[in-house]
Amino acid sequence: MRNPIGRAEPDAGDVTPRRTAGLLRSLLAVVLGALPALAFPAPGLWWWAYVSLVPWLLLIRTAPGARRAALDGWCGGIGFLLAVHHWLLPSVHVFLLVMAVLLGLLWLPWGVLARALLGGAPTPARAAAALCAVPSGWLMIELVRSWEGLGGPWGLLGASQWNVPPALRLASVGGVWLVSLLVVAVNTALVLLIAVPGLRVVGVAGLAACALVAGTAAWGVGAPRPAGVVRVALVQPGVHGGTDGAERRLDRAAELTRGLAGQRLDLVVWGESGVGRDPAGDAALTARLTALARTVDAPLLVNVDARRADRPGIYKSALLFAPDGPTGDRYDKMRLVPFGEYVPARGLLGWATSVGKAATEDRRRGTEPVVMRLPDGERPLTVGPLVCFESAFPDMSRRLARDGADLLVVQSATSTFQHSWAPAQHASLAALRAAETGRPVVHATLTGVGAAYGPDGRRVGPPVGTDASAAVVRELPLSESTTAYARWGDWPVYGAFAVVGAVCAAAGAGAFRRPAPGSRGRRARTVRG
């Protein structure tokens, strides 16, 4: 059918199938974007991370245009976020979908970038650029969404490799960021091998380069040098919920702590929110905690979730008690969980407390990290405390290591998500923090999963499961080595910025422009011409 000026009008019968096909493609992108979640605990299929992005990238490269590629990236990002954070659904309800839709926008430019470099019949230059730029673009997404206000760095792809020794050595060089780069680079090289037969040599070269980097890290980067040992007890009461939950947790933790007497401990650690009143305003509680430290003849690090006695507001704080009384060391949690511990823009989003388990009152923030010196030890021993969510942030543990902490302690509570993937995922993050800093890390919880890791990131002893109520002792090697990551910080992120900027500049200059279909060379001369 033609309109009066002769232009063909779309037939309504053709529009509906196209819309249906577009919708099905979007749903497929959501599913494919969710696939990497299987690489994280609890499934823990670490090897899956190296192939999980391939189907998504194959879909993006077939997009008919940049707009469709951007939509494929957005829908895949939504699927990724929903899958990685699905355990939040009982707490945040509809906000999980809102978060996924909004943060999924970060994958829009990544989809365009991936199609521009991998789509059609790439030239060798475009294929080589893809091996660097596609992983770098992914890293830019991880960096942006790692901001605390956007939910923090949970589900970074490199974190799925927490129990792979070569990846841990790589993390000691460039943090979890470098591991993410390697994982996405392998996926990109596999796409070239599968979809671009004429450039398989580039894909093979990319895989060889990734293997060389991983091998160099595994055998060329030395493990932290041992410098003595520390004996740490993790107390997990395994009690949560109820109107008297705080008192029952305290009583059970005290009972388990008394059972540690005579075990030559250097430190006893309780989980997050193990104490529901501020000892600074409760002399009886202070005396009770001091008596426990005296019983085990070791300092006791507790965590208080209560209104402070000396200032307004509720704080989550790590407090240290020696056998002769409180040391005065106190660390107030600095980075809070959105909705869980505070409601962003409460005046606008305060209604979230009526549909989910959002905080009814905002917690207050601490102002600076604290390194605590343990008293009465055979050698001066310093501890850097982190509270729960903070173990996801690489910069916080790096700062503590640079400030002189010999041991990093994470006090956590994931009892709200007891029967989900969250406890195992949270405990696994401590392995990355240990490898990055070259410092042992203990992850002590209320209800599991509790774990301890040496300075090389390898777990020491079995984990304490979510069904346990126990106190366990772990003997951890200390180290005085300084890792490359502790020294140089987030250099892979800066490199990724440079790569993406260079590729964008080259594309703007036409370096990767595809030749137009049917384009000809120089016009031939004819006799008449």
Side-chain angles (χ1 to χ4, degrees), residues 407-410 430-431 433-435 437 439-443 451-455 476:
L407 170 70
L408 302 181
V409 174
V410 181
R433 304 294 87 86
T437 60
R439 298 292 180 265
V441 179
V442 295
H443 181 88
Y453 301 90
L476 302 172

Side-chain angles (χ1 to χ4, degrees), residues 305-307 312-316 336-347 350 353 358-365:
D305 183 4
R307 204 171 298 277
I314 301 175
Y315 289 80
K316 286 193 174 182
L336 304 177
V337 181
F339 293 101
E341 293 171 336
Y342 78 102
V343 176
R346 183 175 287 273
T353 58
T360 55
E361 180 180 349
D362 292 349
R363 265 53 175 180
R364 303 293 183 92
R365 300 174 186 273

Side-chain angles (χ1 to χ4, degrees), residues 26-317:
S26 297
L27 292 175
L28 177 60
V30 171
V31 173
L32 297 183
L35 294 179
L38 298 175
F40 296 91
L45 306 177
W46 63 267
W47 53 269
W48 178 249
Y50 295 93
V51 298
S52 61
L53 295 179
V54 171
W56 187 8
L57 285 170
L58 289 175
L59 179 70
I60 290 173
R61 75 175 297 273
T62 63
R67 181 180 299 179
R68 181 66 245 188
L71 187 57
D72 290 342
W74 183 23
C75 292
I78 292 172
F80 177 83
L81 293 169
L82 288 175
V84 171
H85 298 90
H86 73 275
W87 43 271
L88 283 171
L89 189 59
S91 294
V92 299
H93 298 296
V94 69
F95 279 102
L96 179 60
L97 179 59
V98 174
M99 177 202 74
V101 169
L102 293 178
L103 291 184
L105 292 170
L106 295 173
W107 276 268
L108 276 170
W110 185 75
V112 175
L113 175 69
R115 178 190 175 274
L117 297 177
L118 295 172
T123 63
R126 274 206 291 137
L131 288 172
C132 298
V134 173
S136 296
W138 182 277
L139 200 62
M140 296 299 93
I141 298 169
E142 292 198 335
L143 177 67
V144 173
R145 72 182 187 86
S146 293
W147 179 49
E148 174 196 348
L150 294 180
W154 194 283
L156 303 185
L157 203 53
S160 66
Q161 308 302 295
W162 67 276
N163 58 347
V164 182
L168 292 173
R169 297 269 49 79
L170 201 64
S172 73
V173 177
V176 67
W177 314 113
L178 189 56
V179 184
S180 286
L181 276 176
L182 180 74
V183 170
V184 184
V186 170
N187 279 272
T188 308
L190 289 175
V191 170
L192 291 171
L193 277 175
I194 295 170
V196 192
L199 292 177
R200 282 177 177 158
V201 64
V202 180
V204 171
L207 291 176
C210 292
L212 179 63
V213 170
T216 301
W219 290 286
V221 178
R225 296 185 302 274
V229 296
V230 59
R231 287 175 58 82
V232 183
L234 287 71
V235 175
Q236 180 173 302
V239 177
H240 59 90
T243 56
D244 61 342
E247 288 302 316
R248 291 191 295 121
R249 287 196 298 269
L250 177 59
D251 292 342
R252 179 58 179 156
E255 178 185 357
L256 292 170
T257 301
R258 285 191 291 270
L260 295 168
Q263 297 203 34
R264 298 182 297 105
L265 300 172
D266 295 299
L267 179 66
V268 178
V269 182
W270 287 11
E272 181 187 13
S273 306
V275 180
R277 307 189 306 275
D278 187 0
D282 191 328
L285 179 57
T286 296
R288 183 180 185 184
L289 295 173
T290 300
L292 287 172
R294 191 179 306 117
T295 298
V296 296
D297 193 27
L300 171 64
L301 186 67
V302 303
N303 189 274
V304 177
D305 183 4
R307 204 171 298 277
R308 284 191 61 159
D310 58 343
R311 65 184 64 173
I314 301 175
Y315 289 80
K316 286 193 174 182
S317 309

Side-chain angles (χ1 to χ4, degrees), residues 299-480:
L300 171 64
L301 186 67
V302 303
N303 189 274
V304 177
D305 183 4
R307 204 171 298 277
R308 284 191 61 159
D310 58 343
R311 65 184 64 173
I314 301 175
Y315 289 80
K316 286 193 174 182
S317 309
L319 276 69
L320 187 64
F321 288 82
D324 59 354
T327 65
D329 289 319
R330 180 176 193 134
Y331 168 67
D332 296 323
K333 186 177 184 181
M334 297 170 60
R335 295 185 183 172
L336 304 177
V337 181
F339 293 101
E341 293 171 336
Y342 78 102
V343 176
R346 183 175 287 273
L348 180 64
L349 301 175
W351 57 271
T353 58
S354 62
V355 292
K357 298 179 181 178
T360 55
E361 180 180 349
D362 292 349
R363 265 53 175 180
R364 303 293 183 92
R365 300 174 186 273
T367 57
E368 59 183 2
V370 174
V371 174
M372 303 177 178
R373 183 173 297 275
L374 300 186
D376 302 327
E378 295 182 1
R379 61 179 290 269
L381 185 67
T382 51
V383 171
L386 296 167
V387 182
C388 199
F389 178 60
E390 295 178 327
S391 69
F393 293 87
D395 65 299
M396 295 196 72
S397 52
R398 176 175 177 260
R399 167 71 183 273
L400 289 171
R402 290 178 63 86
D403 286 350
D406 299 312
L407 170 70
L408 302 181
V409 174
V410 181
Q411 295 175 300
S412 172
T414 51
S415 53
T416 304
F417 314 104
Q418 187 78 347
H419 303 293
S420 72
W421 296 359
Q425 286 184 17
H426 197 183
S428 71
L429 296 176
L432 272 299
R433 304 294 87 86
E436 289 168 345
T437 60
R439 298 292 180 265
V441 179
V442 295
H443 181 88
T445 70
L446 288 181
T447 56
V449 172
Y453 301 90
D456 59 356
R458 301 196 187 198
R459 191 168 59 201
V460 176
V464 185
T466 55
D467 58 346
S469 176
V472 299
V473 178
R474 298 287 182 258
E475 189 169 281
L476 302 172
L478 295 169
S479 172
E480 295 178 349

